[in-house]
mmCIF file of all heavy atoms in Angstrom:
data_model
loop_
_atom_site.group_PDB
_atom_site.id
_atom_site.type_symbol
_atom_site.label_atom_id
_atom_site.label_comp_id
_atom_site.label_asym_id
_atom_site.label_seq_id
_atom_site.Cartn_x
_atom_site.Cartn_y
_atom_site.Cartn_z
ATOM 1 N N ILE T 489 -13.122 -26.492 12.696
ATOM 2 C CA ILE T 489 -11.918 -27.188 12.236
ATOM 3 C C ILE T 489 -10.661 -26.389 12.575
ATOM 4 O O ILE T 489 -9.668 -26.936 13.074
ATOM 5 C CB ILE T 489 -12.013 -27.443 10.714
ATOM 6 C CG1 ILE T 489 -13.168 -28.412 10.407
ATOM 7 C CG2 ILE T 489 -10.696 -28.000 10.180
ATOM 8 C CD1 ILE T 489 -13.414 -28.607 8.923
ATOM 9 N N ILE T 490 -10.697 -25.085 12.317
ATOM 10 C CA ILE T 490 -9.521 -24.238 12.581
ATOM 11 C C ILE T 490 -9.182 -24.228 14.070
ATOM 12 O O ILE T 490 -8.008 -24.340 14.458
ATOM 13 C CB ILE T 490 -9.774 -22.800 12.071
ATOM 14 C CG1 ILE T 490 -9.865 -22.782 10.543
ATOM 15 C CG2 ILE T 490 -8.672 -21.861 12.541
ATOM 16 C CD1 ILE T 490 -8.590 -23.194 9.838
ATOM 17 N N VAL T 491 -10.169 -24.105 14.925
ATOM 18 C CA VAL T 491 -9.913 -24.086 16.363
ATOM 19 C C VAL T 491 -9.439 -25.458 16.839
ATOM 20 O O VAL T 491 -8.572 -25.558 17.725
ATOM 21 C CB VAL T 491 -11.168 -23.625 17.127
ATOM 22 C CG1 VAL T 491 -10.972 -23.762 18.634
ATOM 23 C CG2 VAL T 491 -11.496 -22.185 16.781
ATOM 24 N N ALA T 492 -9.953 -26.515 16.241
ATOM 25 C CA ALA T 492 -9.533 -27.859 16.638
ATOM 26 C C ALA T 492 -8.054 -28.081 16.366
ATOM 27 O O ALA T 492 -7.359 -28.732 17.158
ATOM 28 C CB ALA T 492 -10.375 -28.912 15.913
ATOM 29 N N VAL T 493 -7.557 -27.565 15.257
ATOM 30 C CA VAL T 493 -6.135 -27.731 14.909
ATOM 31 C C VAL T 493 -5.290 -26.573 15.413
ATOM 32 O O VAL T 493 -4.133 -26.438 15.044
ATOM 33 C CB VAL T 493 -5.964 -27.910 13.387
ATOM 34 C CG1 VAL T 493 -6.713 -29.129 12.905
ATOM 35 C CG2 VAL T 493 -6.413 -26.660 12.631
ATOM 36 N N GLU T 494 -5.893 -25.696 16.259
ATOM 37 C CA GLU T 494 -5.172 -24.541 16.832
ATOM 38 C C GLU T 494 -4.609 -23.654 15.738
ATOM 39 O O GLU T 494 -3.450 -23.230 15.771
ATOM 40 C CB GLU T 494 -4.060 -25.014 17.776
ATOM 41 C CG GLU T 494 -4.560 -25.875 18.919
ATOM 42 C CD GLU T 494 -3.450 -26.393 19.795
ATOM 43 O OE1 GLU T 494 -2.647 -27.217 19.294
ATOM 44 O OE2 GLU T 494 -3.358 -25.991 20.956
ATOM 45 N N GLY T 495 -5.445 -23.331 14.772
ATOM 46 C CA GLY T 495 -4.999 -22.560 13.615
ATOM 47 C C GLY T 495 -4.747 -21.092 13.881
ATOM 48 O O GLY T 495 -4.259 -20.390 12.985
ATOM 49 N N SER T 496 -5.052 -20.607 15.075
ATOM 50 C CA SER T 496 -4.842 -19.181 15.349
ATOM 51 C C SER T 496 -3.370 -18.792 15.279
ATOM 52 O O SER T 496 -3.051 -17.614 15.135
ATOM 53 C CB SER T 496 -5.408 -18.819 16.731
ATOM 54 O OG SER T 496 -6.819 -18.875 16.721
ATOM 55 N N PHE T 497 -2.472 -19.794 15.377
ATOM 56 C CA PHE T 497 -1.042 -19.470 15.296
ATOM 57 C C PHE T 497 -0.694 -18.876 13.932
ATOM 58 O O PHE T 497 0.347 -18.234 13.772
ATOM 59 C CB PHE T 497 -0.194 -20.716 15.560
ATOM 60 C CG PHE T 497 -0.043 -21.625 14.374
ATOM 61 C CD1 PHE T 497 1.074 -21.533 13.547
ATOM 62 C CD2 PHE T 497 -1.030 -22.556 14.060
ATOM 63 C CE1 PHE T 497 1.210 -22.360 12.448
ATOM 64 C CE2 PHE T 497 -0.893 -23.387 12.976
ATOM 65 C CZ PHE T 497 0.217 -23.292 12.153
ATOM 66 N N LEU T 498 -1.548 -19.079 12.928
ATOM 67 C CA LEU T 498 -1.283 -18.556 11.583
ATOM 68 C C LEU T 498 -1.244 -17.036 11.554
ATOM 69 O O LEU T 498 -0.728 -16.456 10.597
ATOM 70 C CB LEU T 498 -2.344 -19.072 10.602
ATOM 71 C CG LEU T 498 -2.348 -20.582 10.350
ATOM 72 C CD1 LEU T 498 -3.552 -20.970 9.508
ATOM 73 C CD2 LEU T 498 -1.053 -21.010 9.662
ATOM 74 N N VAL T 499 -1.781 -16.388 12.587
ATOM 75 C CA VAL T 499 -1.758 -14.931 12.609
ATOM 76 C C VAL T 499 -0.325 -14.402 12.645
ATOM 77 O O VAL T 499 -0.059 -13.259 12.254
ATOM 78 C CB VAL T 499 -2.567 -14.400 13.820
ATOM 79 C CG1 VAL T 499 -1.827 -14.624 15.116
ATOM 80 C CG2 VAL T 499 -2.881 -12.923 13.643
ATOM 81 N N ARG T 500 0.610 -15.226 13.097
ATOM 82 C CA ARG T 500 2.011 -14.805 13.126
ATOM 83 C C ARG T 500 2.552 -14.533 11.726
ATOM 84 O O ARG T 500 3.511 -13.778 11.564
ATOM 85 C CB ARG T 500 2.884 -15.877 13.792
ATOM 86 C CG ARG T 500 2.526 -16.193 15.247
ATOM 87 C CD ARG T 500 3.556 -17.153 15.825
ATOM 88 N NE ARG T 500 3.176 -17.658 17.128
ATOM 89 C CZ ARG T 500 3.439 -17.028 18.276
ATOM 90 N NH1 ARG T 500 4.058 -15.868 18.249
ATOM 91 N NH2 ARG T 500 3.071 -17.564 19.434
ATOM 92 N N PHE T 501 1.971 -15.157 10.709
ATOM 93 C CA PHE T 501 2.468 -14.995 9.342
ATOM 94 C C PHE T 501 1.874 -13.784 8.643
ATOM 95 O O PHE T 501 2.295 -13.432 7.549
ATOM 96 C CB PHE T 501 2.157 -16.264 8.529
ATOM 97 C CG PHE T 501 2.859 -17.490 9.022
ATOM 98 C CD1 PHE T 501 2.227 -18.375 9.880
ATOM 99 C CD2 PHE T 501 4.172 -17.751 8.657
ATOM 100 C CE1 PHE T 501 2.865 -19.508 10.344
ATOM 101 C CE2 PHE T 501 4.825 -18.876 9.129
ATOM 102 C CZ PHE T 501 4.179 -19.754 9.966
ATOM 103 N N ILE T 502 0.894 -13.152 9.266
ATOM 104 C CA ILE T 502 0.287 -11.962 8.661
ATOM 105 C C ILE T 502 1.117 -10.754 9.083
ATOM 106 O O ILE T 502 0.946 -10.215 10.169
ATOM 107 C CB ILE T 502 -1.179 -11.802 9.091
ATOM 108 C CG1 ILE T 502 -1.971 -13.066 8.751
ATOM 109 C CG2 ILE T 502 -1.811 -10.598 8.411
ATOM 110 C CD1 ILE T 502 -3.403 -13.035 9.233
ATOM 111 N N SER T 503 2.034 -10.356 8.232
ATOM 112 C CA SER T 503 2.967 -9.293 8.570
ATOM 113 C C SER T 503 2.407 -7.937 8.160
ATOM 114 O O SER T 503 1.323 -7.819 7.574
ATOM 115 C CB SER T 503 4.310 -9.531 7.863
ATOM 116 O OG SER T 503 4.162 -9.377 6.468
ATOM 117 N N ARG T 504 3.171 -6.900 8.462
ATOM 118 C CA ARG T 504 2.785 -5.541 8.088
ATOM 119 C C ARG T 504 2.604 -5.410 6.584
ATOM 120 O O ARG T 504 1.752 -4.642 6.117
ATOM 121 C CB ARG T 504 3.873 -4.569 8.573
ATOM 122 C CG ARG T 504 3.662 -3.125 8.146
ATOM 123 C CD ARG T 504 4.810 -2.251 8.604
ATOM 124 N NE ARG T 504 4.719 -1.996 10.015
ATOM 125 C CZ ARG T 504 4.076 -0.949 10.531
ATOM 126 N NH1 ARG T 504 3.456 -0.108 9.749
ATOM 127 N NH2 ARG T 504 4.058 -0.762 11.826
ATOM 128 N N PHE T 505 3.372 -6.168 5.803
ATOM 129 C CA PHE T 505 3.278 -6.124 4.339
ATOM 130 C C PHE T 505 1.837 -6.387 3.895
ATOM 131 O O PHE T 505 1.280 -5.646 3.069
ATOM 132 C CB PHE T 505 4.232 -7.158 3.746
ATOM 133 C CG PHE T 505 4.214 -7.242 2.242
ATOM 134 C CD1 PHE T 505 4.918 -6.345 1.471
ATOM 135 C CD2 PHE T 505 3.490 -8.233 1.608
ATOM 136 C CE1 PHE T 505 4.910 -6.421 0.093
ATOM 137 C CE2 PHE T 505 3.464 -8.325 0.232
ATOM 138 C CZ PHE T 505 4.183 -7.417 -0.533
ATOM 139 N N THR T 506 1.226 -7.423 4.430
ATOM 140 C CA THR T 506 -0.143 -7.785 4.059
ATOM 141 C C THR T 506 -1.160 -6.865 4.722
ATOM 142 O O THR T 506 -2.119 -6.411 4.076
ATOM 143 C CB THR T 506 -0.416 -9.248 4.455
ATOM 144 O OG1 THR T 506 0.488 -10.097 3.757
ATOM 145 C CG2 THR T 506 -1.840 -9.652 4.118
ATOM 146 N N GLN T 507 -0.960 -6.583 5.986
ATOM 147 C CA GLN T 507 -1.916 -5.746 6.709
ATOM 148 C C GLN T 507 -2.090 -4.384 6.051
ATOM 149 O O GLN T 507 -3.215 -3.904 5.876
ATOM 150 C CB GLN T 507 -1.440 -5.545 8.150
ATOM 151 C CG GLN T 507 -1.438 -6.801 9.008
ATOM 152 C CD GLN T 507 -0.878 -6.529 10.385
ATOM 153 O OE1 GLN T 507 -1.043 -5.440 10.933
ATOM 154 N NE2 GLN T 507 -0.195 -7.502 10.944
ATOM 155 N N GLU T 508 -0.983 -3.774 5.667
ATOM 156 C CA GLU T 508 -1.071 -2.407 5.161
ATOM 157 C C GLU T 508 -1.634 -2.351 3.747
ATOM 158 O O GLU T 508 -2.283 -1.370 3.379
ATOM 159 C CB GLU T 508 0.295 -1.736 5.238
ATOM 160 C CG GLU T 508 0.769 -1.546 6.678
ATOM 161 C CD GLU T 508 1.930 -0.581 6.772
ATOM 162 O OE1 GLU T 508 2.673 -0.465 5.760
ATOM 163 O OE2 GLU T 508 2.104 0.032 7.833
ATOM 164 N N ILE T 509 -1.375 -3.377 2.941
ATOM 165 C CA ILE T 509 -2.002 -3.416 1.616
ATOM 166 C C ILE T 509 -3.517 -3.443 1.761
ATOM 167 O O ILE T 509 -4.245 -2.681 1.097
ATOM 168 C CB ILE T 509 -1.495 -4.642 0.826
ATOM 169 C CG1 ILE T 509 -0.020 -4.472 0.454
ATOM 170 C CG2 ILE T 509 -2.325 -4.843 -0.447
ATOM 171 C CD1 ILE T 509 0.585 -5.698 -0.209
ATOM 172 N N PHE T 510 -4.012 -4.298 2.632
ATOM 173 C CA PHE T 510 -5.446 -4.401 2.842
ATOM 174 C C PHE T 510 -6.006 -3.141 3.493
ATOM 175 O O PHE T 510 -7.109 -2.682 3.171
ATOM 176 C CB PHE T 510 -5.758 -5.638 3.689
ATOM 177 C CG PHE T 510 -7.205 -6.040 3.661
ATOM 178 C CD1 PHE T 510 -7.957 -5.899 2.512
ATOM 179 C CD2 PHE T 510 -7.797 -6.561 4.793
ATOM 180 C CE1 PHE T 510 -9.288 -6.277 2.485
ATOM 181 C CE2 PHE T 510 -9.132 -6.948 4.773
ATOM 182 C CZ PHE T 510 -9.876 -6.803 3.611
ATOM 183 N N SER T 511 -5.239 -2.548 4.419
ATOM 184 C CA SER T 511 -5.696 -1.330 5.090
ATOM 185 C C SER T 511 -5.901 -0.199 4.096
ATOM 186 O O SER T 511 -6.925 0.497 4.126
ATOM 187 C CB SER T 511 -4.684 -0.915 6.160
ATOM 188 O OG SER T 511 -4.526 -1.913 7.126
#
Side-chain angles (χ1 to χ4, degrees):
I489 295 174
I490 293 296
V491 173
V493 300
E494 302 177 293
S496 291
F497 81 96
L498 294 173
V499 73
R500 299 186 189 274
F501 296 96
I502 304 176
S503 68
R504 175 183 285 269
F505 179 81
T506 299
Q507 293 177 33
E508 294 195 334
I509 291 174
F510 195 35
S511 300

